[in-house]
Amino acid sequence: MPTTSLNLDQIQGNSVAGFNKDFQTNLFVKFTNAAAGRTWIKEISAEVAASSSAEVLKFNNQFSALRAQNVSRPEQLISAVWVNLALSFQGLTALNLKTADLAAFPQAFRDGMAQRKAELGDVGASDPSNWVAPFNHPADIHAVLVIAADHSHVLHQKFRSITETPAFTAGVEILLNQPGRTRLDLPGHEHFGFKDGISQPGIRGIDPPDDPIGNPNQGHPGQDLLWPGEFIIGYATQIATAKAGVDGPNPDPGPDSPANPAWTVDGSYLVFRRLRQDVAGFESHVTELAQTLGWSTELTGAKLVGRYKSGAPIEQRKFQPGPYTPPSTDPGDPDHGNAGLGNNNSLNNNFEFLDDPHGAFCPLASHIRKAYPRDEITPAGPENSESSTQKRRLLRRGIPYGSPFTAHEPTSAQADRGLLFYCYQSDIENQFEFVQRFWVNSADFPPNPSGSGAPGVDPIIAQSPSGPMLIDPAKAPVDVNHFVTTTGGEYFFSPSIRALQGIGDGSI
Ligand code: N7H
């Protein structure tokens, strides 16, 4: 019997319930040897248990309740520090797990990210041979330990208490301590200046239906509720084909996400990518493109991303003149960079793409249309598109790294800054890899119904130096330069708390 009742006290935090903290330490580590590594995992599993999805969800609900009461900085009233641990295939191997268990893991995870460079398009500057240490030696990366807190001094205290124990010292070598930090100057925005973390898949059993017309299959308007097995192992998944008579994704539960090996139930696969952003390059290129196109820089940036910097979706017509025709004048960002619409859960995802088939509002290749094409027709065929697209969703949990760009910074010696991209899913090959390979990096996706030219690759995260983009169906394609470089990454598995304890005590 399919269930939406998740074992939240067994599922590590940050998957179905995001940590959402301002300060994050990301420790990429190597185990000294199997026995000492397991001893440390036994010790850290108590911290991880105290950061379960049940605890994080409870905290997040209290935090949201304070926000709803207009408390502008709830973290001054309540705060928390969370810890989670995810293991790479190299790490599980170094811990001497049973050979049969190791062999049962899916191929993409066993390969690791660097070995999947052909599938992911990590070429040129993004080639794994150019990645920063330790990612250029993936065999060394055994685990990532994430510590997240509302206040930096609390984060440092927790970091010290975890790393100064005899079990840590004996069992673990820190390869990289990569800090993550939300933008103090522009909270909620990433380094190019766009508000992030707006659209996430709704999860049955976590997100309550919140649809004004009472549709039980919708969270906030425009947010389809998905079966939890898309993200957590051992639960019902989405069905890739349509249900007769239902407009939208198939609401019925599909088979449970497979547990290979069996103890992976309640776990999730975690993809990490260290993405460097050249902010000066991006901003000056947007200015150049705007001049060529005769648009404002606000509209030009929004056409690349699919949202204005404020988070207002360019496809959301409610603030644009004319119901289904492109505006005759450039409306610019309705919120002038600061979230208004972007924060409004009733509006910020309440749109589809098919009523803009040629990309007159939102270009076919814009980042959000590529990464989640909503009701777009895919090669699965018109009838099944929306159902099959829901098999490609990602729970994104990224955080920026590096200091915000300032205009005084010399372009020639730009600081290293970007996004520590994390996403959870139950199937790396069919979710993250599929999105990156067949949508982001494919110039022909989504198919252009007019047949007059390819939409182009994703203008934000395609790893090539540049590419032509159909930015407006009424104009010739423009050459768009790309300013995000992959500088590291790895595939991890985030085991259930029970499984982590089992690895610690040697029963797994
Ligand atoms: Fe993206 N950006 O600032 O331009 N992303 N992203 N992303 N991204 C999104 O809707 C960005 C990256 C997705 O449901 C927004 O929450 C940047 C990777 C998906 O409508 C913005 C980088 C992958 C969505 C950005 C980056 C994705 C999404 C709008 C790298 C996966 C949700 C805010 C430096 C392969 C789409 C929001 C939806 C949204 C940006 C990376 C995927 C502003 C700068 C690697 C699925």
Side-chain angles (χ1 to χ4, degrees):
M1 184 62 194
T3 180
T4 53
S5 168
L6 290 99
N7 293 325
L8 293 176
D9 53 357
Q10 286 299 329
I11 299 170
Q12 289 199 45
N14 212 23
S15 53
V16 291
F19 284 166
N20 301 340
K21 296 296 183 209
D22 285 334
F23 299 90
Q24 188 163 305
T25 285
N26 308 271
L27 288 182
F28 295 88
V29 301
K30 178 178 183 168
F31 301 125
T32 324
N33 60 60
R38 284 179 184 258
T39 303
W40 175 70
I41 288 178
K42 188 171 183 176
E43 177 176 274
I44 198 70
S45 61
E47 293 279 0
V48 176
S51 308
S52 68
S53 291
E55 292 301 319
V56 177
L57 210 54
K58 198 161 49 173
F59 177 91
N60 290 354
N61 289 338
Q62 287 168 357
F63 200 92
S64 304
L66 287 171
R67 274 261 158 81
Q69 293 160 28
N70 288 328
V71 175
S72 63
R73 307 216 28 216
E75 69 276 16
Q76 291 177 339
L77 300 178
I78 56 167
S79 66
V81 52
W82 305 126
V83 177
N84 71 15
L85 181 70
L87 304 160
S88 69
F89 183 71
Q90 300 292 344
L92 293 167
T93 308
L95 291 168
N96 274 345
L97 261 73
K98 294 186 192 78
T99 313
D101 281 3
L102 291 173
F105 275 100
Q107 188 64 48
F109 173 67
R110 288 196 286 152
D111 285 348
M113 187 180 280
Q115 231 179 291
R116 306 286 282 190
K117 67 177 190 173
E119 286 80 0
L120 295 175
D122 281 328
V123 292
S126 292
D127 188 283
S129 59
N130 295 321
W131 290 359
V132 300
F135 303 106
N136 52 356
H137 288 112
D140 287 346
I141 305 168
H142 291 170
V144 57
L145 178 75
V146 171
I147 314 173
D150 294 292
H151 306 288
S152 85
H153 68 279
V154 177
L155 183 76
H156 287 124
Q157 268 165 18
K158 182 58 85 182
F159 171 79
R160 279 200 304 275
S161 76
I162 288 177
T163 56
E164 286 175 1
T165 69
F168 187 94
T169 315
V172 180
E173 180 194 340
I174 297 178
L175 304 172
L176 174 69
N177 177 351
Q178 170 69 69
R181 174 75 177 93
T182 56
R183 285 185 64 171
L184 201 60
D185 59 327
L186 209 52
H189 294 240
E190 52 68 60
H191 283 301
F192 290 152
F194 293 85
K195 184 159 166 54
D196 206 354
I198 301 170
S199 175
Q200 294 283 11
I203 305 174
R204 293 176 194 269
I206 299 285
D207 301 296
D210 175 30
D211 183 68
I213 51 170
N215 182 345
N217 302 314
Q218 289 274 297
H220 296 308
Q223 184 192 41
D224 298 316
L225 287 181
L226 307 188
W227 290 90
E230 290 300 320
F231 308 104
I232 306 294
I233 307 284
Y235 293 86
T237 54
Q238 290 297 120
I239 296 175
T241 48
K243 180 175 180 172
V246 173
D247 180 24
N250 192 325
D252 291 344
D256 287 358
S257 38
N260 296 318
W263 56 262
T264 54
V265 166
D266 286 328
S268 184
Y269 286 96
L270 175 61
V271 167
F272 168 73
R273 251 162 123 67
R274 187 181 188 280
L275 299 171
R276 182 176 288 158
Q277 293 174 255
D278 171 359
V279 178
F282 179 80
E283 288 190 344
S284 77
H285 190 55
V286 169
T287 305
E288 268 168 43
L289 286 175
Q291 277 161 6
T292 311
L293 293 158
W295 291 339
S296 66
T297 52
E298 285 182 342
L299 181 66
T300 309
K303 292 274 186 184
L304 301 180
V305 173
R307 291 184 185 271
Y308 289 98
K309 284 193 169 174
S310 65
I314 197 166
E315 195 63 69
Q316 170 54 273
R317 316 290 167 71
K318 291 194 169 65
F319 57 85
Q320 290 175 334
Y324 291 105
T325 47
S328 52
T329 52
D330 180 346
D333 190 335
D335 292 321
H336 302 294
N338 274 311
L341 187 60
N343 276 346
N344 182 333
N345 286 336
S346 303
L347 294 174
N348 60 13
N349 275 306
N350 197 7
F351 60 92
E352 301 277 15
F353 291 124
L354 255 199
D355 51 13
D356 178 19
H358 305 287
F361 283 89
C362 186
L364 299 170
S366 66
H367 177 56
I368 67 162
R369 194 162 179 166
K370 282 268 192 194
Y372 174 35
R374 296 176 189 241
D375 62 342
E376 193 74 71
I377 307 291
T378 71
E383 191 190 326
N384 296 323
S385 293
E386 261 197 284
S387 297
S388 72
T389 289
Q390 299 304 334
K391 303 285 296 172
R392 317 292 181 193
R393 303 299 305 279
L394 308 171
L395 264 183
R396 291 174 302 128
R397 301 295 186 214
I399 186 166
Y401 76 90
S403 56
F405 174 75
T406 66
H408 310 295
E409 197 174 306
T411 346
S412 52
Q414 263 194 82
D416 181 14
R417 62 172 61 84
L419 183 71
L420 305 175
F421 175 86
Y422 283 100
C423 72
Y424 287 91
Q425 62 251 275
S426 57
D427 183 336
I428 293 175
E429 186 173 353
N430 284 303
Q431 291 172 270
F432 168 72
E433 283 193 352
F434 188 96
V435 171
Q436 185 77 42
R437 183 176 181 183
F438 296 109
W439 291 351
V440 163
N441 288 342
S442 161
D444 293 319
F445 183 83
N448 181 355
S450 72
S452 61
V457 295
D458 187 312
I460 302 294
I461 57 168
Q463 303 94 319
S464 50
S466 68
M469 175 186 179
L470 203 57
I471 201 162
D472 184 320
K475 295 182 193 286
V478 287
D479 272 321
V480 175
N481 297 344
H482 304 147
F483 297 94
V484 170
T485 309
T486 313
T487 56
E490 188 48 289
Y491 294 156
F492 297 96
F493 179 68
S494 171
S496 69
I497 290 158
R498 185 181 52 238
L500 215 49
Q501 288 158 348
I503 295 173
D505 67 23
S507 60
I508 284 178

